[in-house]
């Protein structure tokens, strides 16, 4: 275990961003990759398209966060 500190993996989505963070219990951020959904010029965010973007990106972001933090999913204590 990384310095015997509890690790938390968090997933956050907003109107146009999806992100995955891995944080140690002392607040140290080990990873925080994000992807942004960009709409065509002159259009707004449509919930269906935004949700599809987030679904498409979330598993890759989880994998990227684990790699950046140099931990595996079994090291995560809390979601």
């Amino acid at each position: 275990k990384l310095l015997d500190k509890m690790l938390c993996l968090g997933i956050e989505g907003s109107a146009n961003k999806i992100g995955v963070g891995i944080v140690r219990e002392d607040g140290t951020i080990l990873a925080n990759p994000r992807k942004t959904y960009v709409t065509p010029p002159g259009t707004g965010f449509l919930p269906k398209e935004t949700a599809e973007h987030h679904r498409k990106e979330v598993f890759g972001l989880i994998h990227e966060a684990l790699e950046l933090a140099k931990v595996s999913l079994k090291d995560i204590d809390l979601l």
Side-chain angles (χ1 to χ4, degrees), residues 2 11 14 17 23 45 50 53 58 62-64 72-73 75:
L2 188 67
I11 301 170
S14 66
K17 287 191 190 325
V23 182
F45 295 104
T50 303
H53 170 265
V58 70
I62 291 169
H63 181 74
E64 182 180 351
S72 71
L73 197 53
D75 296 317

Side-chain angles (χ1 to χ4, degrees), residues 46-74:
L46 299 174
K48 182 179 177 184
E49 284 81 8
T50 303
E52 287 173 9
H53 170 265
H54 290 6
R55 273 193 301 273
K56 184 181 99 184
E57 298 292 349
V58 70
F59 290 112
L61 285 168
I62 291 169
H63 181 74
E64 182 180 351
L66 291 167
E67 282 187 353
L68 289 169
K70 296 178 175 57
V71 298
S72 71
L73 197 53
K74 63 184 167 189

Side-chain angles (χ1 to χ4, degrees), residues 18-59:
I18 181 81
V20 175
I22 298 179
V23 182
R24 218 175 330 174
E25 70 178 275
D26 64 6
T28 302
I29 298 170
L30 302 177
N32 190 22
R34 296 171 298 279
K35 295 282 185 173
T36 301
Y37 174 61
V38 179
T39 61
T43 64
F45 295 104
L46 299 174
K48 182 179 177 184
E49 284 81 8
T50 303
E52 287 173 9
H53 170 265
H54 290 6
R55 273 193 301 273
K56 184 181 99 184
E57 298 292 349
V58 70
F59 290 112

Side-chain angles (χ1 to χ4, degrees), residues 1 6-9 21-23 66 71-79:
K1 178 77 68 172
M6 189 165 43
L7 296 177
C8 176
L9 184 146
I22 298 179
V23 182
L66 291 167
V71 298
S72 71
L73 197 53
K74 63 184 167 189
D75 296 317
I76 301 298
D77 300 295
L78 179 69
L79 295 175

